[in-house]
Structure formats: C-alpha cells, structure tokens
Amino acid sequence: MKRFSIIILSFLILAVWGCNTVIIRPWNAPNALKTSEKIRVFLGKAESDLMIKADGVIFVYDVNDLLIKRAYDAISLDAKKLKAPIRFVADNPGLEYKGRKFRGEILLQPDKNGNVLLINRVPLEEYLYSVVPSEVPAGWPTEALKAQAICSRTYAIREILNKKDTAYDVESTVNSQAYSGMVKENPRTTQAVRDTEGVLAVYEDDPIHMFFHSNSGGRTETPDQVWGGKRLPYLESVPSRFDEAGDNFVWKEILNQDKMDQTLSSLGVGSIQSVQVLSRTPSGRVDLLEVIGKQGTSKIKGKEFRSLLGTSVKSLRFGIKRESEGFLIKGMGAGHGVGLSQWGSFGMAKQNFTYAEIIRHYYQGIEFARITR
C-alpha cells in the first residue's frame, strides 16, 4: 500500500517556486490519442515536379507499409499522377521539401478533388520544437516559453482529438499555429518543451480551447464576441497590463480616400465619407460600425470590417475618424484578443511570474495535467 501511494504521488508532480506549488495530475488520453503519438501537419498541395531530399537514404512506402523505393539524398516524382498514398522516411532526421527540413515522415495523400496533399507526420513533442520558436522569440524569458509550450501542446492535442476523421490535424500556418520545421528550432525553446513534456491545460478533464494572440492591448476578449457560440467559463475577459512591453500595444494607420474606397467597394455605398462606431463589446472592441458613402450607408460588423481592411487594422480595439489626409485609425493590440496575450506573457515572465501563474491568469479555473501513456 505504501508503494502504491508513492506511485500515485509521483503522478501528482509538484513544481515549487518559493511558496507557489503547481499540481500536475495524470490525464488519461482517449484512444484516438493513445494510438497515435504523432500529429499530422498540412504543408500544402504537392506540385507535379516534387522533390524530397535528405542526408542519406530515403525510403518510400506504400499504403500497406511495403517498401516500394529506396533512394540516396534525393527523390523526385510527378505527384499529380499519384493514385494512392505513399510516405517518405529518412534514415537520418530531416526530410527536406522546398528548402525546409522536417522531422518525422512526409506523406503524399491524394484527395477526392484531384489534389495531392503534402502532410508531415511528426511526434507531437518534436512538432513543438518548431512551433514554440515560430510563435514567440526564442530569446524570451524561460517561463514565457514554457507557457507557450503548454498552450501549443494543448491546442495541438485538442485538434488531434477533433480531426481524427480528417486528412490532417493542423496546418503549418497561423490558421492553426505557426510551424516552420527544423530551421526554427532553438535550444532554449526545445528545453522549454522538454521541461513541460506532456503537460496541458484542462477544464473538467478536457483539454481547453487554447486560443492565444500577439497583444491584447490591455484587456482580452471573450470568444463568443469574436466567433459567436456559447461563453466558456475559463475564457473571461481579463486585464493584461503587461502588454505595454510589447509590439503594437498602441498603433495607428492612415488610409487615403482611394484605399478606403477600393477596400470597401463591396459594400456598395460609393465613395466613403465617414465611418462611425455604433457599438463596442464589453472589452472595448468594435462590434458594429456604420459606413457612410455618397451613394448610401451600410452597417457592418467589426470583424468583417477588419477582414476587409486586412493588416491595416491590427485588432478590433480601435477608433476611426476622417482627417484631411484620409482616415485615421488608432488602436491597441494585435490579433483577435482571446486567451493568452503572448506579449502579456512576456511581460509577466519579466516580472518573475511562473508559467503556471501566466496561464492561470488568462485561462481561469483550469488545471494542469500530464498525458499518460
């Protein structure tokens, strides 16, 4: 019985900083995750003249795991002629595609639309070796890097569980989270991943919706205000005062008349005369605007307005007015504003907050758990 208690306590890992104690309990992964420790990352659609390189031998397997080809250093093929999935494996880590090296395997998978999907299947923790430094600078404080590692791992696990019946789990762009292959790996971020190996944030035993963004401009947003749906108890709007340390805490853009007319032409109101903010969300972000033109007016949601104007509007925490030079847009923050503010995390880590304190600030009421195999 005594030995059993020791085993249980070994799962309830205690990480201690001064008087702060973090309990990381075991999390029993569903079968969908247990049977596959790898994540499938969509790299893009394969071109006709496709080349895969490696330092050494490249093995090519068919859908039945039968070896169908062996090559040294490089292999090329017309991907458009492919009728069934194949996968590439190298005897040395690092399969190269378009100048970027990737850990794990590369799969070519034809789909029903006549495309061939290029997918990197890689161990989850090794995937994070690239994601963390692709999302935040590797020179950031260690606790901020650990917080990002846990955010990225939790996001990835939730995607794996939700996408088990699809061709891939995540994309390599910020549509999911940034992933650049081995070129972005850095010893500091790799150590942050290893120091938090298997750790994720859960709420009522489920991996949470782990949204994060660059800079909240001083206060985060709730997901229902951005994407609709129901409120999530752990994703309330919270102050983020350390955002001031980061890029785009305050920003401004001036758009001339031609740019505004061209960008908002789909509204059908003619030459833009003014833009008025009609309502804001509780966090201060634009909810609804009225665009007034020479030929009419149109009411438009803030997120649609931002989508039309693109990078000129870095977040929905902005104001707009017409001036002699055009339209002046002044705002705070960058990104959708939901969940962890990466620059807020940086600022908190600089003030000696731990990764657990950072994550619990942005996702309230969550627990930490470690995947058990």
Side-chain angles (χ1 to χ4, degrees):
M1 183 66 181
K2 181 177 180 181
R3 185 171 182 273
F4 179 75
S5 299
I6 292 173
I7 293 172
I8 293 298
L9 286 173
S10 71
F11 280 115
L12 298 178
I13 302 163
L14 304 180
V16 181
W17 301 269
C19 61
N20 294 317
T21 301
V22 179
I23 297 178
I24 303 175
R25 60 180 182 77
W27 184 72
N28 294 314
N31 288 333
L33 192 63
K34 285 181 178 178
T35 56
S36 175
E37 297 180 359
K38 297 182 179 180
I39 186 168
R40 301 165 301 165
V41 188
F42 177 58
L43 302 179
K45 295 176 182 177
E47 300 169 352
S48 295
D49 187 16
L50 180 137
M51 178 171 288
I52 302 292
K53 298 180 181 180
D55 297 326
V57 182
I58 304 172
F59 303 93
V60 185
Y61 295 90
D62 69 7
V63 69
N64 297 311
D65 283 334
L66 296 175
L67 180 64
I68 58 174
K69 190 176 182 62
R70 181 188 288 110
Y72 292 90
D73 299 331
I75 186 169
S76 61
L77 73 156
D78 185 351
K80 295 295 185 181
K81 294 182 178 179
L82 200 64
K83 301 301 181 183
I86 60 173
R87 64 187 179 94
F88 300 86
V89 182
D91 60 350
N92 293 315
L95 284 165
E96 182 180 328
Y97 171 69
K98 287 190 173 180
R100 291 194 298 170
K101 287 187 176 181
F102 298 93
R103 293 177 179 270
E105 310 167 334
I106 287 181
L107 287 72
L108 294 182
Q109 188 163 317
D111 68 8
K112 61 184 179 181
N113 299 316
N115 300 308
V116 177
L117 308 183
L118 195 78
I119 298 168
N120 180 205
R121 189 164 64 186
V122 58
L124 177 60
E125 296 298 312
E126 294 180 16
Y127 162 74
L128 297 175
Y129 292 168
S130 175
V131 168
V132 176
S134 296
E135 281 288 346
V136 296
W140 276 16
T142 298
E143 295 303 305
L145 299 181
K146 290 180 182 178
Q148 183 63 52
I150 292 172
C151 287
S152 291
R153 183 182 294 108
T154 305
Y155 176 87
I157 289 170
R158 189 173 182 91
E159 291 299 285
I160 291 172
L161 295 175
N162 289 338
K163 304 286 183 62
K164 59 182 182 292
D165 296 324
T166 61
Y168 53 86
D169 304 308
V170 294
E171 298 182 35
S172 60
T173 69
V174 293
N175 288 338
S176 296
Q177 51 186 353
Y179 173 69
S180 306
M182 296 175 68
V183 68
K184 286 295 292 187
E185 293 182 15
N186 182 281
R188 295 192 76 248
T189 45
T190 295
Q191 191 60 50
V193 173
R194 290 172 176 168
D195 287 345
T196 61
E197 183 176 358
V199 178
L200 64 153
V202 299
Y203 186 84
E204 295 181 348
D205 210 39
D206 289 326
I208 68 172
H209 290 271
M210 188 59 90
F211 302 114
F212 49 85
H213 59 281
S214 178
N215 192 318
S216 77
R219 175 166 285 276
T220 66
E221 183 60 281
T222 57
D224 56 295
Q225 295 288 352
V226 179
W227 301 294
K230 64 180 181 180
R231 295 285 287 268
L232 297 172
Y234 51 82
L235 272 175
E236 292 296 327
S237 175
V238 298
S240 186
R241 62 189 180 94
F242 293 107
D243 284 336
E244 294 183 26
D247 296 343
N248 294 315
F249 178 69
V250 176
W251 52 269
K252 70 176 182 179
E253 293 280 347
I254 297 177
L255 301 181
N256 61 34
Q257 186 70 52
D258 288 343
K259 177 68 173 178
M260 286 292 286
D261 290 348
Q262 179 183 356
T263 304
L264 300 178
S265 61
S266 61
L267 299 181
V269 298
S271 182
I272 309 301
Q273 302 302 294
S274 69
V275 179
Q276 304 292 327
V277 175
L278 299 181
S279 64
R280 294 182 179 272
T281 70
S283 75
R285 289 169 170 81
V286 173
D287 175 48
L288 186 66
L289 305 104
E290 185 173 45
V291 179
I292 301 170
K294 284 187 175 181
Q295 298 175 13
T297 65
S298 177
K299 292 181 180 179
I300 181 174
K301 296 291 288 184
K303 59 185 179 183
E304 184 182 351
F305 181 81
R306 183 183 173 215
S307 177
L308 289 173
L309 267 68
T311 56
S312 298
V313 180
K314 294 177 174 60
S315 82
L316 287 176
R317 208 166 190 213
F318 73 88
I320 182 171
K321 67 175 182 178
R322 182 164 187 168
E323 294 189 337
S324 58
E325 298 179 2
F327 291 82
L328 173 65
I329 306 175
K330 294 181 70 174
M332 301 176 71
H336 51 63
V338 180
L340 178 136
S341 165
Q342 290 168 324
W343 276 109
S345 173
F346 168 85
M348 291 182 72
K350 292 284 282 188
Q351 296 297 319
N352 297 317
F353 286 90
T354 67
Y355 79 77
E357 292 170 322
I358 293 169
I359 291 176
R360 282 175 171 160
H361 174 71
Y362 290 104
Y363 311 93
Q364 300 188 339
I366 61 93
E367 297 179 280
F368 292 101
R370 175 171 274 127
I371 303 169
T372 60
R373 298 297 180 190

